[in-house]
Amino acid sequence: MVKTMKAAGAEHKVTRRNFLKTAAGTALAAPAILSMTRAYADTPTIKVGYVSPRTGPLAGFAEADDYIVGGINKAFAGGLQNNGKSWAVEIIVRDSQSNPNRAAEVASQLILKDEVDILLGAATPDTTNPVSDQAEINGKPCITTDCPWQPYFFGRGGKPDKGFESTYHFFWGLEDVIANFTALWNHPDVEKKVGGLFPNDADGNAWGDAELGFPKPLAAGGFALTDPGRYQPLSDDFSAQISAFKAANAEIITGVMIPPDFGTFWAQAGQQGLKPKIVTVGKALLFPSAVAALGERGNGLSSEIWWSPNHPFVSSLDGTTSKALADGYTAATGKPWTQPIGFRHALFEVVADVVKRAADLEDAAAIVEAIRATSLKTIVGTIDWSKGPVKNVSKTPLVAGQWQRRDDKLELVITTNTQAPEIAIGGELVLL
Protein backbone atom coordinates (compact mmCIF):
# COMPACT_ATOMS: atom_id res chain seq x y z
CA MET A 1 0.00 0.00 0.00
CA VAL A 2 1.39 3.40 -0.95
CA LYS A 3 0.39 6.66 0.73
CA THR A 4 1.09 10.14 -0.65
CA MET A 5 2.03 13.16 1.49
CA LYS A 6 2.42 16.79 0.48
CA ALA A 7 5.23 18.81 1.94
CA ALA A 8 6.54 22.24 0.90
CA GLY A 9 4.46 22.08 -2.26
CA ALA A 10 5.91 18.69 -3.37
CA GLU A 11 4.43 15.22 -3.24
CA HIS A 12 6.40 12.50 -1.44
CA LYS A 13 5.50 8.83 -1.66
CA VAL A 14 5.75 6.96 1.64
CA THR A 15 6.34 3.26 1.13
CA ARG A 16 7.03 0.71 3.84
CA ARG A 17 10.72 0.71 2.83
CA ASN A 18 11.00 4.52 3.06
CA PHE A 19 9.19 4.53 6.39
CA LEU A 20 11.51 1.92 7.89
CA LYS A 21 14.56 3.72 6.52
CA THR A 22 13.40 7.01 8.07
CA ALA A 23 12.55 5.32 11.35
CA ALA A 24 15.95 3.63 11.48
CA GLY A 25 17.69 6.92 10.85
CA THR A 26 15.73 8.53 13.69
CA ALA A 27 16.60 5.68 16.05
CA LEU A 28 20.28 5.81 15.21
CA ALA A 29 20.35 9.54 15.83
CA ALA A 30 19.47 9.14 19.50
CA PRO A 31 22.86 7.83 20.71
CA ALA A 32 24.59 10.57 18.73
CA ILE A 33 22.55 13.22 20.56
CA LEU A 34 23.26 11.63 23.92
CA SER A 35 26.97 11.30 23.17
CA MET A 36 27.25 15.04 22.66
CA THR A 37 27.38 15.37 26.45
CA ARG A 38 30.58 13.28 26.72
CA ALA A 39 32.96 16.14 26.12
CA TYR A 40 31.40 18.02 29.03
CA ALA A 41 32.04 15.22 31.51
CA ASP A 42 34.89 15.67 33.97
CA THR A 43 36.71 12.74 32.34
CA PRO A 44 35.05 11.72 29.06
CA THR A 45 35.73 8.22 27.72
CA ILE A 46 36.68 7.13 24.24
CA LYS A 47 35.89 3.50 23.44
CA VAL A 48 38.21 1.30 21.39
CA GLY A 49 36.99 -2.07 20.08
CA TYR A 50 39.58 -4.74 19.32
CA VAL A 51 38.94 -8.00 17.40
CA SER A 52 41.44 -10.85 17.09
CA PRO A 53 41.40 -14.69 16.87
CA ARG A 54 41.81 -15.63 20.52
CA THR A 55 40.57 -19.18 19.85
CA GLY A 56 40.61 -21.53 16.87
CA PRO A 57 43.42 -22.45 14.44
CA LEU A 58 44.70 -18.85 14.28
CA ALA A 59 44.90 -18.42 18.06
CA GLY A 60 48.70 -18.22 17.96
CA PHE A 61 48.34 -14.75 16.48
CA ALA A 62 46.52 -13.58 19.62
CA GLU A 63 48.59 -15.46 22.18
CA ALA A 64 50.09 -12.25 23.56
CA ASP A 65 46.90 -10.16 23.49
CA ASP A 66 46.23 -10.25 27.22
CA TYR A 67 49.77 -9.15 27.97
CA ILE A 68 49.74 -6.35 25.41
CA VAL A 69 46.27 -5.03 26.28
CA GLY A 70 47.13 -5.19 29.98
CA GLY A 71 50.24 -3.12 29.40
CA ILE A 72 48.36 -0.64 27.23
CA ASN A 73 45.66 -0.24 29.89
CA LYS A 74 48.39 0.68 32.37
CA ALA A 75 49.93 3.13 29.89
CA PHE A 76 46.53 4.73 29.31
CA ALA A 77 45.52 4.71 33.00
CA GLY A 78 46.16 8.42 33.41
CA GLY A 79 44.12 9.24 30.31
CA LEU A 80 45.14 10.74 26.97
CA GLN A 81 45.18 14.46 26.31
CA ASN A 82 43.10 15.95 23.52
CA ASN A 83 42.61 19.69 23.06
CA GLY A 84 43.58 20.40 26.65
CA LYS A 85 41.27 17.78 28.17
CA SER A 86 42.03 14.32 29.54
CA TRP A 87 40.11 11.40 28.00
CA ALA A 88 39.86 7.96 29.58
CA VAL A 89 40.27 5.04 27.18
CA GLU A 90 38.15 1.88 27.42
CA ILE A 91 39.38 -1.11 25.38
CA ILE A 92 36.74 -3.75 24.57
CA VAL A 93 38.24 -7.05 23.33
CA ARG A 94 36.33 -9.56 21.24
CA ASP A 95 37.26 -13.02 19.89
CA SER A 96 36.79 -13.73 16.17
CA GLN A 97 37.21 -17.46 16.90
CA SER A 98 39.36 -17.63 13.72
CA ASN A 99 36.14 -17.35 11.73
CA PRO A 100 35.41 -14.51 9.23
CA ASN A 101 31.66 -14.64 9.92
CA ARG A 102 32.22 -14.39 13.65
CA ALA A 103 34.68 -11.54 13.11
CA ALA A 104 32.03 -9.60 11.19
CA GLU A 105 29.44 -10.35 13.87
CA VAL A 106 31.49 -9.13 16.83
CA ALA A 107 32.71 -6.09 14.86
CA SER A 108 29.08 -5.17 14.17
CA GLN A 109 28.25 -5.57 17.86
CA LEU A 110 31.15 -3.34 18.85
CA ILE A 111 29.95 -0.65 16.47
CA LEU A 112 26.18 -0.80 17.00
CA LYS A 113 25.83 -2.08 20.57
CA ASP A 114 29.00 -0.99 22.35
CA GLU A 115 29.22 2.21 20.27
CA VAL A 116 33.02 2.19 20.07
CA ASP A 117 34.72 5.25 18.63
CA ILE A 118 37.62 3.40 16.99
CA LEU A 119 37.69 -0.21 15.79
CA LEU A 120 40.86 -2.33 15.62
CA GLY A 121 41.44 -5.75 14.05
CA ALA A 122 44.44 -8.04 13.63
CA ALA A 123 45.59 -11.37 12.26
CA THR A 124 45.13 -12.55 8.67
CA PRO A 125 42.40 -11.54 6.17
CA ASP A 126 39.97 -13.77 8.08
CA THR A 127 39.87 -11.04 10.74
CA THR A 128 41.08 -7.82 9.15
CA ASN A 129 38.73 -7.92 6.15
CA PRO A 130 35.35 -8.59 7.80
CA VAL A 131 36.19 -6.17 10.62
CA SER A 132 37.18 -3.46 8.14
CA ASP A 133 34.12 -4.12 5.99
CA GLN A 134 31.80 -3.60 8.97
CA ALA A 135 33.63 -0.39 9.85
CA GLU A 136 33.43 0.90 6.28
CA ILE A 137 29.69 0.18 6.04
CA ASN A 138 29.05 2.04 9.29
CA GLY A 139 31.50 4.90 8.75
CA LYS A 140 33.54 3.86 11.78
CA PRO A 141 37.27 4.74 12.03
CA CYS A 142 39.21 1.47 11.80
CA ILE A 143 42.86 0.40 11.92
CA THR A 144 44.07 -3.14 11.18
CA THR A 145 47.34 -5.06 10.87
CA ASP A 146 48.89 -8.56 10.61
CA CYS A 147 47.82 -9.23 7.02
CA PRO A 148 49.74 -8.59 3.77
CA TRP A 149 48.27 -5.50 2.20
CA GLN A 150 47.16 -7.14 -1.09
CA PRO A 151 44.66 -9.62 0.43
CA TYR A 152 43.47 -6.82 2.72
CA PHE A 153 43.06 -4.22 -0.04
CA PHE A 154 42.17 -6.17 -3.16
CA GLY A 155 40.38 -8.85 -1.15
CA ARG A 156 37.93 -6.15 -0.09
CA GLY A 157 37.47 -4.86 -3.64
CA GLY A 158 39.75 -1.88 -3.14
CA LYS A 159 40.56 0.40 -6.10
CA PRO A 160 44.08 1.95 -5.93
CA ASP A 161 42.86 5.33 -7.18
CA LYS A 162 39.93 5.44 -4.76
CA GLY A 163 40.70 3.42 -1.65
CA PHE A 164 38.36 3.36 1.34
CA GLU A 165 36.72 6.05 3.45
CA SER A 166 37.29 5.07 7.07
CA THR A 167 39.47 1.92 7.15
CA TYR A 168 43.27 1.91 7.31
CA HIS A 169 45.89 -0.84 7.43
CA PHE A 170 49.62 -1.20 8.11
CA PHE A 171 51.80 -4.23 7.29
CA TRP A 172 54.12 -5.49 4.56
CA GLY A 173 53.10 -6.76 1.11
CA LEU A 174 53.49 -9.86 -1.02
CA GLU A 175 56.25 -8.12 -2.99
CA ASP A 176 58.24 -7.96 0.26
CA VAL A 177 57.71 -11.55 1.32
CA ILE A 178 58.56 -12.77 -2.21
CA ALA A 179 61.76 -10.72 -2.27
CA ASN A 180 62.78 -12.09 1.13
CA PHE A 181 61.94 -15.70 0.27
CA THR A 182 63.84 -15.63 -3.02
CA ALA A 183 66.81 -14.05 -1.25
CA LEU A 184 66.80 -17.05 1.10
CA TRP A 185 66.58 -19.47 -1.82
CA ASN A 186 69.42 -18.08 -3.94
CA HIS A 187 71.85 -20.73 -2.76
CA PRO A 188 74.48 -22.30 -5.05
CA ASP A 189 73.61 -25.82 -3.87
CA VAL A 190 69.85 -25.53 -4.40
CA GLU A 191 68.01 -25.92 -7.71
CA LYS A 192 65.41 -23.27 -8.44
CA LYS A 193 62.50 -25.71 -8.40
CA VAL A 194 59.72 -24.67 -6.02
CA GLY A 195 56.64 -26.50 -4.79
CA GLY A 196 53.77 -24.21 -3.75
CA LEU A 197 51.18 -24.92 -1.05
CA PHE A 198 48.32 -22.42 -1.31
CA PRO A 199 45.00 -23.05 0.47
CA ASN A 200 41.58 -22.02 -0.76
CA ASP A 201 41.30 -19.02 1.57
CA ALA A 202 42.02 -15.29 1.34
CA ASP A 203 45.75 -15.67 2.00
CA GLY A 204 46.24 -18.70 -0.25
CA ASN A 205 44.33 -17.21 -3.15
CA ALA A 206 46.37 -14.00 -2.89
CA TRP A 207 49.77 -15.69 -2.56
CA GLY A 208 49.00 -18.08 -5.42
CA ASP A 209 47.36 -15.47 -7.67
CA ALA A 210 48.80 -15.54 -11.20
CA GLU A 211 49.07 -11.75 -11.40
CA LEU A 212 49.53 -10.45 -7.83
CA GLY A 213 51.07 -13.47 -6.11
CA PHE A 214 54.15 -15.68 -6.38
CA PRO A 215 54.00 -17.05 -9.97
CA LYS A 216 55.16 -14.01 -11.96
CA PRO A 217 58.07 -12.85 -9.76
CA LEU A 218 59.30 -16.43 -9.28
CA ALA A 219 59.35 -16.95 -13.05
CA ALA A 220 61.16 -13.63 -13.49
CA GLY A 221 63.77 -14.79 -10.97
CA GLY A 222 64.35 -18.06 -12.80
CA PHE A 223 62.37 -20.24 -10.39
CA ALA A 224 60.10 -23.00 -11.71
CA LEU A 225 56.93 -23.17 -9.59
CA THR A 226 54.85 -26.33 -9.28
CA ASP A 227 51.40 -25.35 -8.00
CA PRO A 228 49.03 -28.34 -7.69
CA GLY A 229 46.07 -26.02 -7.07
CA ARG A 230 44.17 -24.84 -4.01
CA TYR A 231 43.61 -27.27 -1.18
CA GLN A 232 40.90 -26.96 1.46
CA PRO A 233 42.08 -25.68 4.88
CA LEU A 234 42.29 -28.36 7.59
CA SER A 235 42.94 -31.01 4.96
CA ASP A 236 44.07 -34.40 6.23
CA ASP A 237 45.74 -35.64 3.04
CA PHE A 238 48.54 -33.91 1.09
CA SER A 239 49.55 -36.98 -0.94
CA ALA A 240 48.66 -35.32 -4.27
CA GLN A 241 50.80 -32.27 -3.52
CA ILE A 242 53.70 -34.40 -2.29
CA SER A 243 53.58 -36.56 -5.43
CA ALA A 244 53.59 -33.47 -7.64
CA PHE A 245 56.58 -31.99 -5.82
CA LYS A 246 58.53 -35.25 -6.03
CA ALA A 247 57.79 -35.55 -9.75
CA ALA A 248 59.06 -32.00 -10.30
CA ASN A 249 62.19 -32.60 -8.15
CA ALA A 250 61.24 -29.56 -6.06
CA GLU A 251 64.12 -28.67 -3.74
CA ILE A 252 62.25 -25.72 -2.23
CA ILE A 253 58.79 -25.84 -0.62
CA THR A 254 56.83 -22.67 0.06
CA GLY A 255 53.30 -21.46 0.68
CA VAL A 256 51.08 -19.92 3.32
CA MET A 257 49.45 -22.38 5.71
CA ILE A 258 47.83 -22.52 9.13
CA PRO A 259 49.90 -24.53 11.66
CA PRO A 260 47.66 -27.65 11.68
CA ASP A 261 47.87 -27.94 7.89
CA PHE A 262 51.63 -27.59 7.81
CA GLY A 263 51.99 -30.14 10.60
CA THR A 264 49.96 -32.65 8.57
CA PHE A 265 51.85 -31.91 5.35
CA TRP A 266 55.30 -32.10 6.94
CA ALA A 267 54.58 -35.39 8.69
CA GLN A 268 53.27 -36.93 5.46
CA ALA A 269 56.21 -35.50 3.48
CA GLY A 270 58.58 -37.37 5.80
CA GLN A 271 56.58 -40.58 5.50
CA GLN A 272 56.44 -40.36 1.69
CA GLY A 273 60.08 -39.50 1.12
CA LEU A 274 59.89 -35.83 0.08
CA LYS A 275 63.25 -34.30 1.06
CA PRO A 276 63.49 -30.61 0.09
CA LYS A 277 66.60 -28.60 0.90
CA ILE A 278 64.68 -25.48 1.94
CA VAL A 279 61.17 -25.16 3.40
CA THR A 280 59.96 -21.56 3.73
CA VAL A 281 56.30 -21.27 4.66
CA GLY A 282 54.36 -18.20 5.72
CA LYS A 283 52.02 -18.08 8.71
CA ALA A 284 52.50 -21.68 9.95
CA LEU A 285 56.11 -21.23 11.05
CA LEU A 286 55.78 -17.89 12.80
CA PHE A 287 55.19 -19.23 16.29
CA PRO A 288 57.61 -21.06 18.62
CA SER A 289 54.85 -23.35 19.91
CA ALA A 290 53.91 -24.48 16.39
CA VAL A 291 57.54 -25.17 15.44
CA ALA A 292 58.26 -26.93 18.76
CA ALA A 293 55.29 -29.24 18.10
CA LEU A 294 57.13 -30.53 15.02
CA GLY A 295 59.95 -31.90 17.19
CA GLU A 296 63.36 -32.23 15.59
CA ARG A 297 61.74 -31.76 12.16
CA GLY A 298 61.16 -28.12 13.07
CA ASN A 299 64.88 -27.40 13.06
CA GLY A 300 65.94 -25.63 9.84
CA LEU A 301 62.49 -24.52 8.66
CA SER A 302 62.30 -20.89 7.54
CA SER A 303 59.77 -18.07 7.47
CA GLU A 304 59.17 -14.37 7.09
CA ILE A 305 60.03 -12.23 10.13
CA TRP A 306 57.85 -9.17 10.71
CA TRP A 307 59.25 -8.22 14.12
CA SER A 308 61.77 -9.52 16.61
CA PRO A 309 63.64 -8.44 19.76
CA ASN A 310 66.53 -7.47 17.45
CA HIS A 311 64.52 -4.92 15.46
CA PRO A 312 66.01 -1.45 16.05
CA PHE A 313 62.69 0.26 16.82
CA VAL A 314 61.19 1.71 20.01
CA SER A 315 57.68 2.44 21.25
CA SER A 316 56.33 5.95 20.75
CA LEU A 317 54.41 5.56 24.01
CA ASP A 318 57.32 5.22 26.41
CA GLY A 319 60.53 4.48 24.50
CA THR A 320 60.39 0.74 25.21
CA THR A 321 62.80 -1.11 22.91
CA SER A 322 61.81 -4.16 20.89
CA LYS A 323 64.03 -6.31 23.10
CA ALA A 324 62.52 -4.94 26.30
CA LEU A 325 58.98 -5.59 25.04
CA ALA A 326 59.84 -9.18 24.08
CA ASP A 327 61.74 -9.83 27.32
CA GLY A 328 58.88 -8.38 29.36
CA TYR A 329 56.44 -10.78 27.74
CA THR A 330 58.67 -13.78 28.41
CA ALA A 331 59.27 -12.73 32.03
CA ALA A 332 55.54 -12.26 32.66
CA THR A 333 54.29 -15.41 30.92
CA GLY A 334 57.21 -17.83 30.80
CA LYS A 335 56.62 -18.13 27.04
CA PRO A 336 58.95 -17.21 24.15
CA TRP A 337 58.26 -13.98 22.27
CA THR A 338 56.07 -14.05 19.19
CA GLN A 339 56.08 -11.78 16.15
CA PRO A 340 52.58 -10.31 16.60
CA ILE A 341 53.63 -8.76 19.92
CA GLY A 342 55.20 -5.76 18.24
CA PHE A 343 52.28 -5.19 15.87
CA ARG A 344 49.67 -5.44 18.64
CA HIS A 345 51.58 -2.84 20.60
CA ALA A 346 51.90 -0.65 17.50
CA LEU A 347 48.11 -0.71 16.96
CA PHE A 348 47.64 1.04 20.28
CA GLU A 349 50.56 3.38 19.63
CA VAL A 350 48.62 4.63 16.62
CA VAL A 351 45.42 4.90 18.68
CA ALA A 352 47.17 7.06 21.28
CA ASP A 353 48.67 9.27 18.60
CA VAL A 354 45.33 9.67 16.81
CA VAL A 355 43.42 10.44 20.01
CA LYS A 356 45.91 13.17 20.89
CA ARG A 357 45.76 14.79 17.43
CA ALA A 358 42.10 14.48 16.46
CA ALA A 359 40.39 17.88 16.09
CA ASP A 360 37.17 16.54 17.64
CA LEU A 361 36.87 13.13 19.31
CA GLU A 362 33.08 13.39 19.06
CA ASP A 363 33.33 13.40 15.26
CA ALA A 364 34.15 10.15 13.40
CA ALA A 365 35.28 12.15 10.35
CA ALA A 366 37.79 14.06 12.47
CA ILE A 367 39.18 10.79 13.85
CA VAL A 368 39.49 9.40 10.32
CA GLU A 369 41.32 12.54 9.25
CA ALA A 370 43.76 12.13 12.15
CA ILE A 371 44.40 8.51 11.11
CA ARG A 372 44.98 9.60 7.51
CA ALA A 373 47.52 12.21 8.65
CA THR A 374 49.52 9.78 10.83
CA SER A 375 53.30 9.83 10.55
CA LEU A 376 54.57 7.93 13.56
CA LYS A 377 57.74 6.05 14.48
CA THR A 378 56.58 2.90 16.27
CA ILE A 379 58.03 -0.31 17.62
CA VAL A 380 57.50 -1.93 14.18
CA GLY A 381 58.86 0.99 12.14
CA THR A 382 57.32 4.16 10.72
CA ILE A 383 53.59 4.18 10.00
CA ASP A 384 52.67 6.84 7.44
CA TRP A 385 49.56 6.54 5.28
CA SER A 386 50.64 9.32 2.94
CA LYS A 387 53.23 7.08 1.27
CA GLY A 388 51.11 4.22 -0.06
CA PRO A 389 51.67 1.88 -1.94
CA VAL A 390 47.90 2.46 -2.31
CA LYS A 391 45.45 4.59 -0.40
CA ASN A 392 44.69 3.43 3.15
CA VAL A 393 47.85 1.26 3.34
CA SER A 394 51.19 1.90 5.07
CA LYS A 395 54.02 -0.60 4.68
CA THR A 396 56.31 -1.84 7.45
CA PRO A 397 59.75 -3.46 6.97
CA LEU A 398 60.17 -7.21 6.54
CA VAL A 399 63.09 -9.64 6.80
CA ALA A 400 63.27 -13.46 6.81
CA GLY A 401 65.12 -16.19 8.64
CA GLN A 402 65.39 -19.72 9.91
CA TRP A 403 64.60 -21.72 13.02
CA GLN A 404 67.98 -22.93 14.25
CA ARG A 405 68.89 -24.96 17.32
CA ARG A 406 70.98 -22.92 19.72
CA ASP A 407 71.71 -23.94 23.32
CA ASP A 408 69.22 -26.82 23.20
CA LYS A 409 66.33 -24.67 21.96
CA LEU A 410 65.07 -23.42 18.62
CA GLU A 411 65.56 -19.74 17.88
CA LEU A 412 64.30 -17.74 14.91
CA VAL A 413 67.45 -16.25 13.38
CA ILE A 414 67.37 -13.44 10.80
CA THR A 415 69.34 -14.69 7.78
CA THR A 416 68.40 -12.16 5.09
CA ASN A 417 67.64 -8.44 5.27
CA THR A 418 67.73 -7.40 1.61
CA GLN A 419 64.47 -5.47 2.00
CA ALA A 420 65.36 -3.85 5.33
CA PRO A 421 69.13 -3.46 5.80
CA GLU A 422 68.58 -1.46 9.00
CA ILE A 423 67.60 -4.75 10.68
CA ALA A 424 70.73 -6.76 11.52
CA ILE A 425 71.36 -10.33 10.29
CA GLY A 426 71.93 -12.91 13.02
CA GLY A 427 73.26 -15.87 11.06
CA GLU A 428 73.40 -17.78 7.76
CA LEU A 429 70.82 -20.16 6.29
CA VAL A 430 71.64 -23.84 6.79
CA LEU A 431 70.20 -26.33 4.28
CA LEU A 432 67.94 -29.10 5.57
Side-chain angles (χ1 to χ4, degrees), residues 72-268:
I72 293 298
N73 279 327
K74 290 179 181 178
F76 290 175
L80 297 176
Q81 294 296 311
N82 174 270
N83 292 320
K85 191 173 186 66
S86 180
W87 286 68
V89 181
E90 178 184 357
I91 301 171
I92 305 173
V93 180
R94 293 288 183 265
D95 180 13
S96 72
Q97 300 175 3
S98 301
N99 184 300
N101 294 328
R102 178 62 179 172
E105 181 183 349
V106 296
S108 178
Q109 290 172 354
L110 285 167
I111 295 168
L112 301 176
K113 181 180 177 181
D114 297 298
E115 297 180 10
V116 298
D117 300 285
I118 302 173
L119 189 62
L120 308 178
T124 85
D126 288 342
T127 304
T128 61
N129 291 17
V131 168
S132 297
D133 286 344
Q134 289 299 312
E136 190 75 9
I137 290 169
N138 289 281
K140 187 63 61 178
C142 179
I143 308 164
T144 54
T145 190
D146 288 14
C147 165
W149 71 262
Q150 287 93 339
Y152 162 84
F153 190 83
F154 296 113
R156 298 177 55 219
K159 306 295 183 184
D161 58 339
K162 183 179 180 182
F164 302 103
E165 291 295 328
S166 61
T167 51
Y168 288 77
H169 185 77
F170 64 93
F171 209 53
W172 41 265
L174 295 182
E175 70 277 20
D176 303 305
V177 77
I178 292 168
N180 274 282
F181 281 14
T182 53
L184 282 179
W185 303 339
N186 274 312
H187 192 287
D189 297 327
V190 179
E191 287 195 56
K192 292 186 172 184
K193 296 180 178 180
V194 183
L197 290 161
F198 305 115
N200 185 23
D201 62 15
D203 264 334
N205 290 327
W207 287 48
D209 185 85
E211 293 298 320
L212 300 175
F214 274 56
K216 270 192 173 182
L218 289 194
F223 292 89
L225 174 65
T226 298
D227 179 0
R230 306 297 160 263
Y231 69 87
Q232 291 305 312
L234 297 176
S235 175
D236 60 1
D237 185 3
F238 287 91
S239 298
Q241 290 85 353
I242 292 169
S243 295
F245 299 158
K246 290 173 68 176
N249 295 316
E251 295 196 348
I252 302 165
I253 302 298
T254 194
V256 55
M257 309 176 78
I258 57 176
D261 283 346
F262 180 79
T264 300
F265 163 78
W266 197 223
Q268 292 177 0

Side-chain angles (χ1 to χ4, degrees), residues 306-325:
W306 337 330
W307 179 85
S308 78
N310 298 315
H311 277 49
F313 308 126
V314 301
S315 169
S316 61
L317 293 177
D318 55 11
T320 297
T321 64
S322 293
K323 187 176 189 307
L325 182 63

